[in-house]
Amino acid sequence: MAVAVKTGDYKTSLINNRRYLGNKYKLLPFITKVVNEECSDIDSVADIFAGTGAVSSAFTEKLLITNDLMYSNYICNYAWFGAEEYDPQTIIDCVVRYNSLSDLEDNYMTENFSDTYFSRDDCAKIGYIREDIESLYENDRINQRERAILITSLLYAMDKIANTCGHYDAYRKGVVFEKTLELYVPLAEVHNTADNQCYNTDANELVKDITADLVYIDPPYNSRQYCDAYHLLENVARWEKPEVFGVARKMDRSTMKSKYCTQSATEAFEQLIGDIKAKYILLSYNNMAEKGNDRSNAKISDQDIMRILEKKGEVKVFSESYKAFTTGKSDIDDNQERLFLCRCFN
């Protein structure tokens, strides 16, 4: 795994330098091997449940279409893969300035999150930085891609020091905050493919309007909603300053829920596959159908996956043993990540 390196007065980060449930970064050799050996004439790739963008990062020489229902993931994908060019020095100057801040006034973050996931001082810093990024953008001092890169830098920095087990369902009470917020400079490519597209929408709606040689699908597997686990990062990314509630300080997330975490997952998947226009469909789905508790068990059965995909084309299945990053409550033996490759008819 690549790591961040220190350069001058700032440090740099890469796309994989964050924790995320279901992250496929360690599976990239498996995924790319299947694509390279089984798929031909691939010029465009659509990653329609992109998450952190780990899988998209393996196909940057192609035209990329990324999508995620969570805005915080969309903004990171736009930072890494957006077609718009940006000025690296602008990012460096902002990061160095942000890291030098101290003795800041109260703001939305201190009023709602002090001494929960972050200390009061780090909350003050997060709130100031996020407000400043928006001000720079609204006053045309940074472009949309630079805005996205700075927000990404902030989200990665928050994730690195958060008082959690890697998600935001709860924080540990009574801890001493030893780490302080430090932003890194994301090493995003300045000149990405000119026709790259990044979306923040429902995948089932998106596939009606796009075409790609390869469509990669990595939907949520179980009932754990990502907007519940990452509500705080979503809050900061959107920066709408909503009211928060409960011990975990969550905002209203009713519009961010995924159908793939519910009993309607199979129906949604069948509609999705039916509307895809591609040469190949590559589905990641693990073998957790009956292995965990009710929350961990996969929502779509293998029988339904094969039934639905075989209506679309010829299907091959590949598997590899894999221990996923979880919330810490599951320790399942013989966990396998499977790739269902569908060579579409027509």
Side-chain angles (χ1 to χ4, degrees), residues 83 133 153 171 191 270 327 338:
I133 293 170
S153 177
Y171 57 87
H191 308 287
E270 189 157 16
T327 59
R338 282 94 48 77

Side-chain angles (χ1 to χ4, degrees), residues 264-279:
S264 62
T266 301
E267 179 184 356
F269 180 68
E270 189 157 16
Q271 292 172 349
L272 178 79
I273 297 302
D275 287 330
I276 286 176
K277 298 177 284 293
K279 295 179 183 178

